[in-house]
Amino acid sequence: MPLHCLERGTGSPLVLLHGNGTMIEDFVSSGLIDMAARSHRVIAFDRPGFGHTTRPRAIVWTAEAQADLIAVGLRRLGVRQATMLGHSWGCAVAIALARRHPDLVSGLVLVSGYYYASVRADVVGASLPSLPVLGDILRFTVSPLMARATWPLATRRMFGPAPVAETFKSFPKEMVFRPSQIRAGAAEAALMLPGAATAAGYADLKVPVAIIAGEGDRIIDIEAQSARLHAELAQSTLQRVPGAGHMVHQTAPEIVLAAIEGLSAPAFPKPAANSETLPVAA
């Protein structure tokens, strides 16, 4: 299946994995890709179902399945080892990469992640468009209309208590309202709790981990998630960002970049093409 990625810069490889509902353009609009590309070979992926990457229904796209797909893509790009950065749902994929393909991962930067199963009333409603038949009806009728209507409220909640970043206005929100991307987002909402429940702790992670969380995150309880993960991992650091919410990479990209620089992989410079789609077998 095609796996779309964006590459910029040269230097030690840095892989960016976006959260649920977004795509590569989240990192582009934040400025993080341009900032990091000054000293890194930055590779950002559209995860399955988001942006320009498809999401075949025959596969249950768990974090582990996505990690295996991305690992194949990285090897085809000649990446031997990289720092992996995940935001939100992308953190689960980054961790799965470190577990299943440890030779590829030199360090993890985990931003606003969800690591431990907890009661989430919002997950049930968010998961509905992933259901067979009923979900298909919703995705082609009501769901796009609701997504457009609630977009301003949803973005304020994601960014709050910080204001929505001006740069985020360039984010291609109409791509989020496509039935195919609505299905992908709903499927990931449904996988969130069982994925965290089956993670069974993180003590097996052997790479250094930089954990970043906005102190005002309105999507995830950072004490129950980021702070708990930091307590479990002796080789981790925790950066709490005052005044920031779930989209801390948008409102404080310099803090995220500092964490990246602290975990840089050995340099394997290679001139990068701007954008490409890899024919990767799922």
Side-chain angles (χ1 to χ4, degrees):
M1 61 170 280
L3 177 62
H4 183 252
C5 68
L6 173 70
E7 290 191 63
R8 287 186 188 165
T10 59
S12 58
L14 168 67
V15 176
L16 305 180
L17 303 168
H18 63 79
N20 189 6
T22 63
M23 60 197 88
I24 288 172
E25 283 77 9
D26 182 20
F27 292 121
V28 173
S29 65
S30 72
L32 184 60
I33 288 181
D34 285 340
M35 293 167 65
R38 295 169 189 162
S39 56
H40 297 273
R41 178 190 177 192
V42 182
I43 305 170
F45 287 101
D46 279 333
R47 296 191 295 99
F50 302 99
H52 298 287
T53 297
T54 58
R55 191 180 180 101
R57 288 195 175 204
I59 299 171
V60 179
W61 288 104
T62 62
E64 291 75 19
Q66 294 188 39
D68 292 345
L69 176 68
I70 290 167
V72 173
L74 289 173
R75 296 188 200 282
R76 288 202 175 191
L77 290 169
V79 174
R80 288 182 282 170
Q81 197 174 57
T83 298
M84 302 288 171
L85 182 148
H87 172 247
S88 196
W89 217 97
C91 291
V93 182
I95 290 170
L97 272 160
R99 282 174 155 166
R100 297 169 72 86
H101 306 277
D103 61 306
L104 281 174
V105 182
S106 62
L108 295 172
V109 180
L110 305 177
V111 184
S112 305
Y114 180 82
Y115 314 106
Y116 302 95
S118 60
V119 177
R120 292 286 298 263
D122 57 329
V123 169
V124 176
S127 304
L128 289 178
S130 67
L131 296 174
V133 184
L134 173 61
D136 293 332
I137 294 172
L138 291 174
R139 289 188 298 106
F140 285 93
T141 56
V142 178
S143 294
L145 298 175
M146 291 183 62
R148 286 188 179 90
T150 59
W151 179 257
L153 178 62
T155 53
R156 287 197 298 271
R157 182 168 178 250
M158 287 190 299
F159 276 85
V164 177
E166 284 295 315
T167 52
F168 193 69
K169 291 180 179 179
S170 65
F171 181 80
K173 60 184 180 182
E174 284 300 318
M175 293 187 73
V176 177
F177 308 146
R178 296 173 299 167
S180 61
Q181 189 149 324
I182 289 173
R183 177 170 68 87
E188 296 209 337
L191 287 167
M192 189 172 67
L193 291 178
T198 56
Y202 300 93
D204 60 319
L205 291 176
K206 304 304 181 185
V207 296
V209 181
I211 305 165
I212 304 173
E215 286 192 339
D217 196 323
R218 296 172 180 174
I219 306 297
I220 288 175
D221 182 342
I222 70 167
E223 297 300 329
Q225 301 298 331
S226 296
R228 180 178 171 185
L229 181 65
H230 174 50
E232 183 174 348
L233 296 177
Q235 73 280 22
S236 69
T237 61
L238 172 60
Q239 175 75 58
R240 298 170 181 264
V241 184
H246 196 64
M247 303 292 278
V248 64
H249 62 294
Q250 285 273 352
T251 56
E254 68 285 350
I255 291 177
V256 177
L257 183 63
I260 292 167
E261 297 297 351
L263 295 179
S264 295
F268 298 111
K270 175 183 175 183
N274 191 44
S275 179
E276 61 184 305
T277 298
L278 304 172
V280 178

